[in-house]
Amino acid sequence: MIREPVPRTVRVFEEGVLRTLRKHGMLDPGDAVLVAVSGGADSTALLLCLHRLARRLGITLVAAHLHHGLRGDEADMDEAFVRELCLRLGVRFVAGRADVRRLASERKRNLEDAARLARYEFLRETAASLGCRKIAVGHTLNDQAESVLLRFLRGSGEEGLSGIHPVLDNLIIRPLLERPRGQVQRYLTSLSQTWREDSTNSQLRLRRNRLRHELIPYLAKHFNPRVLETMARTAAHAREVAGYLGSVSRRTYQALRHGTEPDIVQLPARPLAGLHPAIGRRVLRLAIRDVRGSLKGITARHADELIRLCGSGTSGRSVDLPGMVTARLQFGELVLQRKTPGAPGLYRYELPVPGRCPVPEAGVSFSASLVSCANVPDAPDRSR
Amino acid sequence: MIREPVPRTVRVFEEGVLRTLRKHGMLDPGDAVLVAVSGGADSTALLLCLHRLARRLGITLVAAHLHHGLRGDEADMDEAFVRELCLRLGVRFVAGRADVRRLASERKRNLEDAARLARYEFLRETAASLGCRKIAVGHTLNDQAESVLLRFLRGSGEEGLSGIHPVLDNLIIRPLLERPRGQVQRYLTSLSQTWREDSTNSQLRLRRNRLRHELIPYLAKHFNPRVLETMARTAAHAREVAGYLGSVSRRTYQALRHGTEPDIVQLPARPLAGLHPAIGRRVLRLAIRDVRGSLKGITARHADELIRLCGSGTSGRSVDLPGMVTARLQFGELVLQRKTPGAPGLYRYELPVPGRCPVPEAGVSFSASLVSCANVPDAPDRSR
């Protein structure tokens, strides 16, 4: 049997993937790995590469493909493409189907978010049911750079700049995260492997595409030819700092927190106000999350307001946070508490006609006047 | 006497400056303030604004202008412009002169760096000699955003992303740091005040100008209309995180460091290797700076190498750092030490002719061959 020599492009790519796998301890011998394959270049290369390395790594593969029910014939052909590829490689293939449009309207998400949620749910369930200990997904160095840049332009701190994690929950792994997209495509071409292009990319993700096709090439040309690698380094650095600040804050929060009642968190105000703001703000976010269940709509300004409240020392003062949470200073303690949902009869005001009636609880004021029937204006149409 | 009403643009600008002054505690009543005035829009607005607020703030002003000896007539006219402005306002004026070209060649800096060094030296000396407790300089929100973006694109961590500090050494203050450049120019126009444009800007600072005139407008248009404010927030956040990490690292370093010999730092290896990398790396940088005097040429990779050395536990192993510093693991201690300067006789090798002679201490290899006189090539000209 004559073995063809492995092209240099292929060797370089696979050695790079092996380095990433080792550096982040992504795979152990004996692992069954579920590989997420859309049929695009990145995930096709991921499947092919892990398949070629499988014996050496001592792993077994299953490929999974989710049909999002969005792009008609084209999506059917993607599924057929992945099915045939798996057949040829001798890799077990699992196909799933989701109704992303329904999911999006049910959960009030945009299509892209809903598709991602559906995909990860499908992958986690499939992995669990098949006993796969790892789920491999095809994010590349370009995805990492794009994500860090977008977050930076939005003003994210360490958490956001941490970007795409190489390993998540010791379950999801991203073996291509240190490979540039150009290398991925050269790898496939060298192995005479085709892939599917997603024609809806440009509609679904306008901003991401502008970043990909305009901003990053522009930055590479005029500011930093190694912008992809620089962004990846920034992400690694941010992950490290976020990890450290997170662990200090969690320890501090646990040490300061009083009581164990659900929906109430009590923290001593003076020690809280004395913390370094980098930690104090994070401690408060942990407290708010415990009371509210999430941090949606909570900004740095809210944490700052609570720190000022603690510093003021005025017992009885309180601050309202979004999501029906009140923070009150009581005898040297900051008490965070969920408000009881506004039952009818919680407050009542008389509205004189004509006259005005302010409702401080709601932050609004009603005014009433008498008009003649003929002068009633058409109600503005708010139905849309 | 009839007082003209203050235009809205002027009021908004000055209220913004007052907010910045208060927020950062920049000025105290009784302060004598040296204002750095180049004659450009930013510093002209700074002088005018502080002059208009001087009585209210209880401060007195001196204006200082440094002639860089670089742009001939144009620079002479800048100086004359500032002198006349001060005469009109009744502000004391101090002019200085520097030979920036000579300074650049003496200190091996580019012209821009040398000009900045000269300017701050002049300002500090002038402030000291006149008893000014503060030096006000005219950086704007745009300068802040540009600096944060440039550092981000180069891959800086918190220290770099901290950008331009509102207050430095409790001496240098930047009252315009939260005002966008557009507001500065509208302020001057509203007060019918002209300014000088620096025609060499475009030559001196190509990259900075591309950032200013291309990248930032592009980002504001397509990614974040409030990109200036977002970058300023990022800088404030990075300053906070850098401050916290710095203080933890300094405390840790002081607690771990053994001995007080100059030019030697000893740290126990096992506790060092056990630190969170976000702190461990910073502790090592403090140690390296103590031994070397600076961190020039020291990267994250060097600190990582030392952490690996500490983790290895192999007594006697050592790592060489740039700048003649050796790190050696000795009986559980990491010993950082400056090598004795390479006195003659420190090492000696014979170079056979023809032949090769590697010099491992210097990391180079010399090779010698015999050539005929006629074939001696012209020496490459390294003089430029």
Side-chain angles (χ1 to χ4, degrees), chain A residues 329-340:
Chain A
L329 198 64
Q330 255 170 7
F331 307 112
E333 294 278 312
L334 181 73
V335 183
L336 287 160
Q337 186 163 16
R338 215 188 169 94
K339 280 185 260 191
T340 37

Side-chain angles (χ1 to χ4, degrees), chain A residues 45-61:
Chain A
L46 176 66
L47 178 65
L48 209 61
C49 171
L50 288 181
H51 178 67
R52 288 171 49 91
L53 299 172
R55 195 187 301 190
R56 191 161 155 198
L57 294 167
I59 57 171
T60 55
L61 303 180

Side-chain angles (χ1 to χ4, degrees), chain B residues 57-362:
Chain B
L57 294 167
I59 57 171
T60 54
L61 303 180
V62 181
H65 176 89
L66 185 68
H67 189 302
H68 296 78
L70 283 178
R71 292 173 302 121
D73 282 359
E74 210 182 306
D76 297 342
M77 284 159 71
D78 288 348
E79 190 188 301
F81 170 84
V82 179
R83 184 187 305 274
E84 279 158 35
L85 173 63
C86 290
L87 201 67
R88 180 160 64 75
L89 298 176
V91 169
R92 179 170 172 192
F93 174 68
V94 180
R97 232 165 214 285
D99 186 345
V100 168
R101 224 178 283 284
R102 208 190 55 201
L103 195 73
S105 82
E106 275 173 15
R107 302 202 193 168
K108 292 181 182 136
R109 305 280 194 138
N110 64 43
L111 276 185
E112 206 186 342
D113 277 353
R116 194 179 46 244
L117 282 176
R119 211 154 50 231
Y120 280 96
E121 267 173 32
F122 163 67
L123 291 170
R124 283 176 190 267
E125 283 166 14
T126 308
S129 73
L130 298 179
C132 292
R133 272 209 296 263
K134 300 287 164 59
I135 298 170
V137 293
H139 293 102
T140 63
L141 184 61
N142 293 60
D143 294 311
Q144 180 66 291
E146 290 161 12
S147 134
V148 172
L149 252 176
L150 264 184
R151 301 294 188 87
F152 175 75
L153 293 174
R154 276 187 212 140
S156 297
E158 299 73 46
E159 277 78 11
L161 294 183
S162 296
I164 302 172
H165 290 237
V167 177
L168 199 69
D169 304 335
N170 198 27
L171 174 69
I172 292 169
I173 63 172
R174 293 168 166 124
L176 305 191
L177 199 56
E178 291 162 346
R179 304 271 68 71
R181 194 170 289 137
Q183 230 183 65
V184 169
Q185 300 187 353
R186 283 197 299 280
Y187 175 71
L188 290 172
T189 308
S190 296
L191 290 170
S192 309
Q193 174 64 56
T194 58
W195 64 87
R196 302 272 305 159
E197 295 284 357
D198 181 345
S199 69
T200 63
N201 251 357
S202 53
Q203 293 129 267
L204 265 178
R205 307 189 290 179
L206 196 65
R207 182 191 290 249
R208 175 71 77 150
N209 272 315
R210 190 183 292 282
L211 194 82
R212 180 172 298 178
H213 300 300
E214 272 185 23
L215 180 55
I216 289 184
Y218 170 85
L219 294 175
K221 183 171 173 201
H222 295 298
F223 290 94
N224 182 351
R226 296 180 60 80
V227 65
L228 297 182
E229 291 80 0
T230 299
M231 296 297 106
R233 238 182 329 116
T234 297
H237 176 91
R239 271 199 299 281
E240 186 176 290
V241 171
Y244 176 70
L245 295 175
S247 74
V248 173
S249 307
R250 278 190 301 275
R251 278 203 308 272
T252 309
Y253 174 58
Q254 293 305 336
L256 288 180
R257 183 183 177 171
H258 291 176
T260 51
E261 268 183 89
D263 297 343
I264 295 191
V265 168
Q266 275 181 260
L267 298 163
R270 201 190 292 244
L272 197 56
L275 291 173
H276 191 287
I279 300 301
R281 217 173 266 156
R282 280 181 168 76
V283 168
L284 280 166
R285 286 172 68 83
L286 290 170
I288 294 170
R289 205 183 54 190
D290 267 2
V291 174
R292 271 173 105 235
S294 95
L295 284 169
K296 214 180 151 195
I298 297 292
T299 67
R301 233 171 265 178
H302 293 115
D304 288 345
E305 244 183 302
L306 298 194
I307 290 178
R308 269 199 302 279
L309 179 65
C310 289
S312 76
T314 317
S315 196
R317 264 191 65 201
S318 70
V319 164
D320 285 339
L321 299 175
M324 299 294 280
V325 167
T326 303
R328 188 181 305 274
L329 198 64
Q330 257 170 5
F331 308 110
E333 296 278 313
L334 180 73
V335 183
L336 286 160
Q337 187 165 15
R338 214 191 171 93
K339 280 185 259 189
T340 36
L346 196 63
Y347 51 80
R348 179 193 298 247
Y349 291 93
E350 202 178 83
L351 171 62
V353 182
R356 273 173 59 81
C357 170
V359 181
E361 285 84 351

Side-chain angles (χ1 to χ4, degrees), chain A residues 22 34 43 51 74 149 155 163 178 180 200 215 223 252 267 328 356:
Chain A
R22 265 197 301 270
L34 189 71
S43 60
H51 178 67
E74 209 182 306
L149 253 175
E178 292 163 347
T200 63
L215 180 56
F223 290 94
T252 308
L267 298 163
R328 189 182 305 276
R356 273 173 58 82

